[in-house]
Amino acid sequence: MYQPEPQSMTFSTLISDIDKGIIKIPQFQRDFVWTINQSAKLIDSILKGYPIGTFILWESGEELRSIKNIGGAELPPTPLGSKAQYVLDGQQRMTSLYATLKGLLVQRETRKDNFAELYIDLEADEDDQLVVTDIEDRNPKEVISLRNLLEGDISVLIEYPKDYHSKLTDYKNRINTYRFSTILLRDATIDVATEVFTRLNVGGKSLTVFEIMVAKTYDASNNFDLSEKYDDLLTRLEQVEYETIPESTVLQVVSTILVKECTRQHILRLEKADFIDVWDKAVDAIERAIEYFRNYYRIPVSRLLPYNGLVVTFAYFFYQHKNKPTGYMRELLDDFFWRVSLSERYSSALETRLGQDIKRIDVILKGELPKYDLKLNVTKDLIINNGHFSVNRSFIKSILCLMAYHEPKSFSDNSVVRINNSFLKQANSKNYHHFFPKAYLQKQGEDMFYINHIVNITIVDGFLNKNIIRAKAPSEYMKDFVEQNSKLRETMKDHLIGDLNEFGVLEDDYETFFEKRAELIVEELNKWLITSKSNPVETI
């Protein structure tokens, strides 16, 4: 059991240890936000001998990603042979003391604060505020800056009237002899240190696993900074419109590769050396998984992906399997992808289910069909009853992926429809089009559930959706496209819509269209699934 060590240190020791690079602010600490007035009250409390709280420090030989600049001052690395002491609690107070003594100019988002502008009022009584920030219209010999008090030589102090000399000496001694209460957590693991930090900050925002792992895996000698590595990955993914893959997914990929599990506990227990060693291979696996989603499933952007968790299982597959899957193995992987997506498997208990599915991927890697514990019923009734259009549901995204696979073309000229991540944040996206427009169906008295339904959604370009079709009846706007697009029949197949007459489009028969398109969606989905006695797929 770790036993914290109560200690105390003087003002000069505290400042000296910061100057030497011994005391550090870890990356997971928040920005310095205290104002000059808050700093003034802190110094005032010290002058009056009031307690200002305890600094909690974690002494460790581990080199963490730390904020080297405290209050904007350039500070050296921790000296060789010394252990860094990372601030777990008291960062605002400590940075305030340091910025005040050094007279630092601290850059904020919207302003600069000059911490040299703290003064001791030599005319104030003990019960008054001794430290002030506003000295306009004051006699300059009635106030002294904190820096001059502590660092000024005899020539500075002797300039003040003799009546103040005893006060100047007294105030300087009070600050220099003040004992700052500290608790030292010596040689605890980073898991313990970050848990202590989180518990101390129960009123604030808890640390994320990523923030902890950024600190834990930092290694200057190997030029490894997880935060920078993740940013580099996102920069590359942005070029292929998969930049919405979150930090947590990347950590889960690394963890499943190393230990086949990815709970918070498993991630935090990963060895630093193992994490760094596998990073490049994990990133390569992620990029190959995304390439597979884009090129084979034809999912052009990350917002269409039913779950980010699919990146984890597919990256694990590509880490183990260096080539693209072919033949039966590809069919097994297809079956897995659509089962997970359509069953909404990762909507809860994600980490646990990823651990289970890594075992299924291991079975697929052997060229065998895994056993699934959830019966999948891909029927027309399933599509109809669960098809309310919501872009955040994996079931809906699955069907959108099916549509994207067929690479839908523009009704007007058969040109490719470009799908963009920025267009897919909400249900009224430029790319989502109600084939029977909402306004038209509402006038016909259709129920909103069936109006705003995935069966009624097609993927089109924004100009066509907003400027040409609008609220027109399908028979009206499709007749124009029949004249404009000589390949319209093929175009409609790309949208999973058959012959316009058979589908009731030219007669504005929404009931026929709805039934026919639901049947075609079911037919297309079942081309991806493997049916067996152990893994039944109901398709009635």
Side-chain angles (χ1 to χ4, degrees):
M1 182 177 72
Y2 294 98
Q3 290 292 339
E5 301 177 18
Q7 298 180 352
S8 66
M9 67 172 67
T10 62
F11 187 82
S12 60
T13 301
L14 177 67
I15 300 302
S16 174
D17 283 352
I18 295 175
D19 277 334
K20 291 177 183 176
I22 292 175
I23 292 178
K24 295 284 190 181
I25 306 295
Q27 173 69 16
F28 50 72
Q29 283 278 15
R30 309 306 171 195
D31 292 338
F32 176 50
V33 296
W34 268 30
T35 64
I36 293 177
N37 288 330
Q38 286 175 296
S39 296
K41 291 180 180 179
L42 179 70
I43 302 297
D44 190 77
S45 294
I46 291 172
L47 282 172
K48 292 173 179 175
Y50 297 164
I52 63 165
T54 300
F55 296 124
I56 299 181
L57 306 174
W58 168 44
E59 184 180 81
S60 174
E62 291 192 57
E63 185 180 17
L64 302 186
R65 186 175 191 259
S66 57
I67 301 173
K68 296 180 180 179
N69 300 333
I70 296 182
E74 291 287 342
L75 297 174
T78 304
L80 291 175
S82 299
K83 292 183 177 181
Q85 295 181 354
Y86 298 100
V87 182
L88 298 183
D89 194 46
Q91 183 244 149
Q92 298 292 330
R93 286 169 284 141
M94 186 174 292
T95 304
S96 178
L97 288 170
Y98 188 78
T100 300
L101 176 66
K102 296 294 184 178
L104 299 179
L105 188 64
V106 178
Q107 178 67 55
R108 314 286 193 178
E109 285 189 6
T110 58
R111 70 182 194 280
K112 291 182 179 179
D113 286 338
N114 187 355
F115 280 79
E117 296 177 345
L118 268 76
Y119 305 88
I120 296 176
D121 186 349
L122 299 175
E123 281 291 301
D125 294 329
E126 284 288 329
D127 293 337
D128 297 331
Q129 182 76 20
L130 300 178
V131 183
V132 295
T133 58
D134 183 5
I135 60 170
E136 190 176 355
D137 299 328
R138 292 293 302 270
N139 184 336
K141 297 303 180 183
E142 293 178 353
V143 295
I144 184 171
S145 72
L146 186 65
R147 288 195 71 195
N148 280 343
L149 175 70
L150 295 176
E151 296 187 337
D153 57 21
I154 189 67
S155 64
V156 173
L157 301 181
I158 205 169
E159 289 295 321
Y160 283 83
K162 288 184 179 180
D163 290 347
Y164 295 141
H165 285 183
S166 60
K167 271 192 175 183
L168 291 170
T169 302
D170 183 33
Y171 288 156
K172 185 172 183 176
N173 286 337
R174 289 188 195 185
I175 294 175
N176 283 334
T177 60
Y178 187 90
R179 306 296 297 186
F180 292 91
S181 173
T182 62
I183 291 179
L184 189 63
L185 197 64
R186 195 186 298 275
D187 291 327
T189 65
I190 189 172
D191 299 345
V192 171
T194 51
E195 179 64 18
V196 169
F197 174 85
T198 300
R199 293 191 181 199
L200 289 169
N201 289 273
V202 290
K205 183 181 177 182
S206 297
L207 291 178
T208 66
V209 177
F210 187 79
E211 287 172 319
I212 296 172
M213 293 304 292
V214 166
K216 179 176 180 177
T217 60
Y218 179 77
D219 191 320
S221 62
N222 284 308
N223 194 29
F224 190 88
D225 184 327
L226 178 57
S227 182
E228 292 180 358
K229 294 288 187 182
Y230 175 69
D231 288 343
D232 290 343
L233 173 60
L234 282 196
T235 298
R236 294 199 298 277
L237 295 185
E238 188 175 11
Q239 296 173 9
V240 294
E241 296 211 65
Y242 266 72
E243 72 278 6
T244 64
I245 303 301
E247 303 161 344
S248 57
T249 297
V250 177
L251 291 180
Q252 288 162 353
V253 169
V254 175
S255 187
T256 52
I257 288 173
L258 289 174
V259 297
K260 297 182 183 289
E261 297 284 356
C262 61
T263 65
R264 176 187 174 95
Q265 291 74 19
H266 284 101
I267 293 172
L268 292 177
R269 289 174 190 158
L270 296 177
E271 293 293 332
K272 174 179 176 178
D274 293 340
F275 191 102
I276 294 173
D277 183 62
V278 82
W279 173 260
D280 288 339
K281 297 174 185 176
V283 166
D284 177 69
I286 290 171
E287 292 180 325
R288 287 196 289 131
I290 289 172
E291 181 185 11
Y292 195 73
F293 293 148
R294 294 180 67 243
N295 295 338
Y296 180 64
Y297 293 127
R298 303 173 190 168
I299 302 172
V301 294
S302 52
R303 287 193 186 278
L304 271 185
L305 195 65
Y307 289 113
N308 289 319
L310 286 164
V311 175
V312 180
T313 47
F314 274 71
Y316 176 84
F317 174 89
F318 282 104
Y319 176 81
Q320 305 290 345
H321 193 275
K322 304 307 178 184
N323 301 315
K324 290 182 180 179
T326 58
Y328 187 54
M329 182 179 289
R330 184 186 63 220
E331 294 177 17
L332 293 170
L333 207 56
D334 293 342
D335 182 68
F336 173 83
F337 177 90
W338 292 99
R339 282 181 182 274
V340 167
S341 302
L342 291 167
S343 66
E344 301 189 311
R345 175 168 172 76
Y346 294 162
S347 294
S348 61
L350 172 62
E351 295 167 345
T352 299
R353 289 177 175 174
L354 283 175
Q356 295 168 351
D357 285 351
I358 290 301
K359 295 180 177 63
R360 292 191 169 99
I361 295 295
D362 282 335
V363 174
I364 291 174
L365 286 164
K366 296 177 183 177
E368 300 172 3
L369 179 65
K371 183 175 182 179
Y372 295 94
D373 52 7
L374 181 65
K375 183 178 181 180
L376 183 61
N377 302 304
V378 183
T379 64
K380 185 171 72 173
D381 285 345
L382 176 72
I383 301 297
I384 292 174
N385 294 333
N386 294 278
H388 176 71
F389 186 57
S390 170
V391 293
N392 294 320
R393 289 179 53 208
S394 72
F395 182 83
I396 297 301
K397 285 186 176 183
S398 302
I399 299 175
L400 290 173
C401 285
L402 181 70
M403 296 177 185
Y405 176 80
H406 288 270
E407 297 183 316
K409 309 295 191 302
S410 172
F411 298 155
S412 62
D413 58 7
N414 207 44
S415 59
V416 175
V417 174
R418 298 297 180 190
I419 301 173
N420 188 287
N421 258 330
S422 62
F423 292 168
L424 302 181
K425 295 179 181 179
Q426 52 194 25
N428 61 353
S429 156
K430 294 179 181 180
N431 280 136
Y432 299 138
H433 163 60
H434 290 73
F435 191 78
F436 276 67
K438 286 196 292 185
Y440 170 78
L441 288 178
Q442 285 176 316
K443 289 180 181 179
Q444 307 305 311
E446 187 63 65
D447 187 279
M448 184 56 71
F449 176 82
Y450 295 102
I451 295 174
N452 197 38
H453 198 284
I454 187 61
V455 170
N456 192 29
I457 297 296
T458 53
I459 298 176
V460 301
D461 62 85
F463 180 81
L464 195 71
N465 194 3
K466 302 297 182 183
N467 297 283
I468 304 299
I469 299 174
R470 296 185 179 179
K472 297 177 183 176
S475 62
E476 182 180 350
Y477 71 76
M478 289 308 298
K479 284 180 181 177
D480 293 336
F481 296 141
V482 168
E483 297 176 1
Q484 297 171 13
N485 184 0
S486 61
K487 298 180 180 180
L488 185 62
R489 187 179 184 87
E490 290 76 16
T491 300
M492 300 317 296
K493 288 181 180 179
D494 293 337
H495 289 272
L496 301 182
I497 297 173
D499 181 85
L500 296 181
N501 283 306
E502 291 181 9
F503 270 62
V505 173
L506 298 182
E507 295 180 357
D508 298 324
D509 183 350
Y510 187 54
E511 182 177 352
T512 297
F513 171 82
F514 194 91
E515 292 288 324
K516 290 284 187 181
R517 194 161 191 247
E519 291 169 0
L520 190 51
I521 289 172
V522 169
E523 179 183 334
E524 290 295 322
L525 283 174
N526 280 291
K527 292 179 181 179
W528 295 95
L529 297 167
I530 298 174
T531 304
S532 71
K533 291 182 179 180
S534 59
N535 297 307
V537 178
E538 186 177 322
T539 60
I540 298 173

